Amino acid sequence: MGFNLDFNLFMNDVVKQARQEITAAGYTELTTATDVEDAFAQKGTTLVMVNSVCGCAGGIARPAASHAIHYDKRPDQLVTVFAGQDKEATARAREFFEGYPPSSPSFALLKDGKIITMVERHEIEGHDPMAVVSKLQSAFDANCEEV
């Protein structure tokens, strides 16, 4: 019984740190389906980071999310949903990612609420964070305005 309690406390810490890392980088957390709908209704480009507690999220995806946005061109809006935590928000966001299977961590770039491209887990896991940054910045070059 003690193991479960300790494990839950440990996971709460992991989740809290994962949330803090991405919000500290400038991303807005979307925790409900309504949050997602409101954010995706905005005109312009939106980068969605689908966060998770897996190692490749902490070691690759969140650092890439943080670094990629320090660039000449970047999305108008930076948001995040947390797979496995904010289930309603994540499910609603994934409805917008037409043609892409659920994947976390991942990044989706939308324009006026329509999916343009994704960087999926298989393009993150086992890759260097800078390779992910390059993929994101290529998408920014093609689709975003200079800041």
Side-chain angles (χ1 to χ4, degrees):
M1 189 67 184
F3 172 77
N4 285 341
L5 181 62
D6 291 344
F7 181 75
N8 288 336
L9 286 172
F10 169 76
M11 287 310 294
N12 286 341
D13 284 348
V14 169
V15 168
K16 187 176 174 187
Q17 182 178 345
R19 288 184 189 279
Q20 287 173 337
E21 281 179 34
I22 198 69
T23 56
Y27 290 71
T28 301
E29 273 193 305
L30 309 177
T31 58
T32 67
T34 304
D35 289 348
V36 169
E37 290 161 11
D38 291 348
F40 291 9
Q42 302 298 313
K43 288 282 179 221
T45 51
T46 300
L47 180 65
V48 185
M49 193 269 178
V50 181
N51 204 352
S52 90
V53 294
C54 73
C56 65
I60 304 167
R62 286 192 301 274
S66 181
H67 289 13
I69 58 176
H70 299 286
Y71 195 61
D72 294 345
K73 292 184 176 184
R74 62 177 256 191
D76 299 312
Q77 182 175 219
L78 305 169
V79 299
T80 182
V81 294
F82 207 127
Q85 300 298 316
D86 301 322
K87 293 180 172 79
E88 178 192 311
T90 304
R92 184 66 184 110
R94 285 178 170 154
E95 290 174 20
F96 286 84
F97 307 159
E98 290 174 36
Y100 293 94
S103 161
S104 61
S106 62
F107 295 91
L109 184 63
L110 291 87
K111 185 162 189 161
D112 300 334
K114 301 269 184 259
I115 186 78
I116 298 171
T117 190
M118 279 194 81
V119 177
E120 299 174 84
R121 181 187 175 111
H122 69 85
E123 298 173 277
I124 297 169
E125 190 176 29
H127 292 79
D128 179 85
M130 289 315 293
V132 178
V133 167
S134 292
K135 281 185 189 295
L136 290 170
Q137 290 178 342
S138 291
F140 299 167
D141 274 336
N143 301 288
C144 299
E145 300 297 319
E146 243 178 81
V147 282

